[in-house]
Amino acid sequence: GGKQYGGGNYYGPTPDGGGYYGRNSDDDGCFEQYVMPFQRNSFNGLTVLAEDCGALEGLHQVLHILSNISKIKIECINARSKEVEDHETLDDEVYNGHFKLDIQGPFSSLPGVAMALDFMETAGDSVQLTFMYNDSARCKDEYRGCNRDNMRVTTALNQVLQGILAERAGNDVADLSPLLTGVKDYPPSPSWGFMFDLGSSFGPFLITLTFLIIFPSIVVTLVQEKAYKIRIMMRMMGLGTSAFWSITYLFWCSIFGVFTFVFLIIVNFARLHTSGYRIGMFANVDGGVQVMFFLGYMLCTVSFAFLWGTLLRSIRVAQVSSVLWIITTIILSFVFDAVGDIFNSDGVSEPMKTFLTLFPPLGCYRALTVFRSYADEIYNPDGDGSRLTWASKNSAIATILTVQWLEAGIFMAMAIY
C-alpha cells in the first residue's frame, strides 16, 4: 500500500502461511511455488497472496475452475505487510522463516517473506527505494528465477509507485495504469557484449603464478654463487660484503621492476581493438594503490628469496624446494579463494587473514581478490559506486601493504645477518 513507506524502514508482505522460498510473481500477482530441498511436503502449484483470502469468494471460484482445468493445485494465502526497524531485523525475519520451514504440514502453516522494501530517503516528491525479493526458486534444476526476475521487479515496482501516486492524488490505486512496462539490467552489458570478465575471474590466480616464476631463479642463483665459491672469489678481488649485497639486490629488483612496469602498463591501458575489453579488476583501482602494492610485493619477494638462498647450500635442494613452494602456495591460494572466498569472507577472522598474508604469495593473492571485488564499479565492497583509493573504506589493502613492507626489511636483515 502507498501509505506504508517512509522513515527508512523495511516492510513487505509476510504470508501468515504458505511457502517462504520459491515464489515467482506473474502479471496477475500470483506466486508460483516450487518444492525446495529443505521442505518436507508435497505441495507444488500456484499460490495467491491476499490480505484476506476468506473475503475473496469470487476469486475462490476462479481458482477452483483454473485448478480443475490445469490439474495444478492452486491455493490462497493470507499475507500482510510488516514494518521493521532496520536491515538487521529483516535478516532475522528471513533467517527465522528459513529454519521454520523444515516441518510437516501444508504451506498454509509456514511463515516467510515474499519481498521487502527499503524506502531510504523517500520524502515529498522524491522516491528512493531498494527492492528485495525472494530469489530461491527452483525450475528445471536451475536456481534464480526461471527467467521471470524482470517481470517480478516490474510488477512490484508498479504496485509501489501506483500506491505512492494514489496517495498523493487521493485516487484509488485501481484507477492508475502501470507506469513501467519493463526493466533493464544495470549496469548494462559492456561493449564486448557479456558481463563475464575472464581476466578478473582468473586474474588473482594467473597474476600470482606469473609473479612467482622469478622466485626460483633468484634462489638458485644465490645458492650457485655459494656452491661454486663465486662470492668468495669476488671478495678476494676486493668486492666488499655491503657492495655485493647491494648490487645483487638492486639487480634482481631491477629485473622484477621492469617486468612489473610492463605488466602495469598492459593491464591499465591495453584494450581489445575489436570490442574495447580490458581487465576490469584494475579499471577501478587507483594507480597509486597499484604501484605501492606491486612495489611492496617486489621488495618482499626479493628479500624472501635472498633469505631462502642464504639458508640453503645445495643447488638441487634450492631447485626442488623453490618449485614446491610455488606449487604449494598457488594451490592453497586458489583453494582458499574458490572454495569459500576465505580472503574476503566475514566468517574468517581478521587475525587469520593477517596470518595468511604473512606468506608473500598468499598476501599477493589476497590483494588481487580485493582488486577483483572492485571490478564492477556499482557492486563493490564500499557499496557506493566508488573506486579503490587511499580514502576507501576497505582496510584489507592497508593491512596487506603494511605486512609486505615490514617483511621486506625483516627478510633482508635476516638474510644479511
Side-chain angles (χ1 to χ4, degrees), residues 14 40 89 152 155-156 272 304 314-315 356 369:
T14 303
R40 297 185 299 181
T89 308
R152 299 174 62 187
T155 302
L272 293 180
F304 185 61
S314 170
I315 298 176
L356 295 176
T369 59

Side-chain angles (χ1 to χ4, degrees), residues 244-305:
F244 167 79
W245 284 107
S246 300
I247 294 172
T248 307
Y249 192 83
L250 289 176
F251 170 78
W252 286 111
C253 284
S254 299
I255 299 295
F256 208 129
V258 170
F259 175 79
T260 302
F261 177 76
V262 174
F263 171 81
L264 290 176
I265 292 296
I266 293 175
V267 298
N268 282 283
F269 297 102
R271 299 172 182 266
L272 293 180
H273 70 280
T274 55
S275 62
Y277 170 78
R278 61 177 297 193
I279 301 178
M281 64 182 292
F282 293 96
N284 297 313
V285 178
D286 184 74
V289 175
Q290 296 183 40
V291 170
M292 291 302 295
F293 162 68
F294 281 104
L295 180 61
Y297 181 63
M298 175 190 72
L299 298 176
C300 182
T301 300
V302 174
S303 299
F304 185 61

Side-chain angles (χ1 to χ4, degrees), residues 20-48:
Y20 170 38
Y21 284 91
R23 292 193 180 91
N24 293 313
S25 67
D26 294 327
D27 286 335
D28 56 2
C30 298
F31 285 81
E32 187 165 336
Q33 181 66 57
Y34 298 94
V35 177
M36 300 302 292
F38 45 76
Q39 295 176 346
R40 297 185 299 181
N41 49 64
S42 59
F43 178 76
N44 186 11
L46 297 178
T47 301
V48 179

Side-chain angles (χ1 to χ4, degrees), residues 229 231-239:
K229 310 298 183 183
R231 191 180 307 177
I232 295 177
M233 289 189 291
M234 287 189 292
R235 288 180 180 176
M236 293 174 62
M237 290 185 289
L239 183 65

Side-chain angles (χ1 to χ4, degrees), residues 60-74:
H60 277 296
Q61 296 176 358
V62 173
L63 294 181
H64 182 69
I65 295 174
L66 291 176
S67 180
N68 290 335
I69 295 175
S70 62
K71 306 300 182 182
I72 297 176
K73 183 178 180 181
I74 302 177

Side-chain angles (χ1 to χ4, degrees), residues 26-279:
D26 294 327
D27 286 335
D28 56 2
C30 298
F31 285 81
E32 187 165 336
Q33 181 66 57
Y34 298 94
V35 177
M36 300 302 292
F38 45 76
Q39 295 176 346
R40 297 185 299 181
N41 49 64
S42 59
F43 178 76
N44 186 11
L46 297 178
T47 301
V48 179
L49 301 184
E51 292 186 1
D52 186 2
C53 292
L56 303 177
E57 297 180 359
L59 178 62
H60 277 296
Q61 296 176 358
V62 173
L63 294 181
H64 182 69
I65 295 174
L66 291 176
S67 180
N68 290 335
I69 295 175
S70 62
K71 306 300 182 182
I72 297 176
K73 183 178 180 181
I74 302 177
E75 141 178 316
C76 182
I77 294 177
N78 292 327
R80 59 185 172 82
S81 295
K82 181 178 182 180
E83 188 172 348
V84 296
E85 294 297 328
D86 49 34
H87 206 160
E88 183 178 356
T89 308
L90 174 63
D91 291 339
D92 291 339
E93 293 278 343
V94 175
Y95 178 86
N96 294 333
H98 172 84
F99 283 96
K100 288 179 180 177
L101 282 174
D102 194 16
I103 60 175
Q104 297 287 349
F107 270 100
S108 57
S109 64
L110 301 179
V113 178
M115 72 175 184
L117 297 162
D118 177 9
F119 282 90
M120 303 168 70
E121 302 299 326
T122 296
D125 295 331
S126 175
V127 178
Q128 182 183 11
L129 63 89
T130 298
F131 169 56
M132 295 158 277
Y133 64 92
N134 192 319
D135 194 28
S136 58
R138 187 172 188 178
C139 182
K140 295 181 181 179
D141 294 328
E142 296 180 1
Y143 287 91
R144 297 189 61 80
C146 303
N147 298 322
R148 297 187 181 183
D149 288 0
N150 288 344
M151 184 185 301
R152 299 174 62 187
V153 173
T154 304
T155 302
L157 291 181
N158 272 324
Q159 293 172 350
V160 172
L161 295 177
Q162 286 173 328
I164 293 177
L165 292 177
E167 184 195 16
R168 290 288 189 274
N171 297 333
D172 188 86
V173 175
D175 297 333
L176 299 175
S177 301
L179 302 175
L180 303 177
T181 58
V183 177
K184 285 187 176 182
D185 292 332
Y186 183 83
S189 298
S191 57
W192 51 90
F194 53 90
M195 295 300 295
F196 180 64
D197 186 350
L198 181 64
S200 297
S201 299
F202 295 97
F205 173 79
L206 296 176
I207 295 172
T208 303
L209 178 60
T210 302
F211 276 83
L212 276 174
I213 293 177
I214 197 174
F215 179 80
S217 301
I218 303 175
V219 175
V220 173
T221 301
L222 293 174
V223 176
Q224 285 178 338
E225 290 179 351
K226 289 194 300 182
Y228 297 139
K229 310 298 183 183
I230 297 177
R231 191 180 307 177
I232 295 177
M233 289 189 291
M234 287 189 292
R235 288 180 180 176
M236 293 174 62
M237 290 185 289
L239 183 65
T241 301
S242 58
F244 167 79
W245 284 107
S246 300
I247 294 172
T248 307
Y249 192 83
L250 289 176
F251 170 78
W252 286 111
C253 284
S254 299
I255 299 295
F256 208 129
V258 170
F259 175 79
T260 302
F261 177 76
V262 174
F263 171 81
L264 290 176
I265 292 296
I266 293 175
V267 298
N268 282 283
F269 297 102
R271 299 172 182 266
L272 293 180
H273 70 280
T274 55
S275 62
Y277 170 78
R278 61 177 297 193
I279 301 178

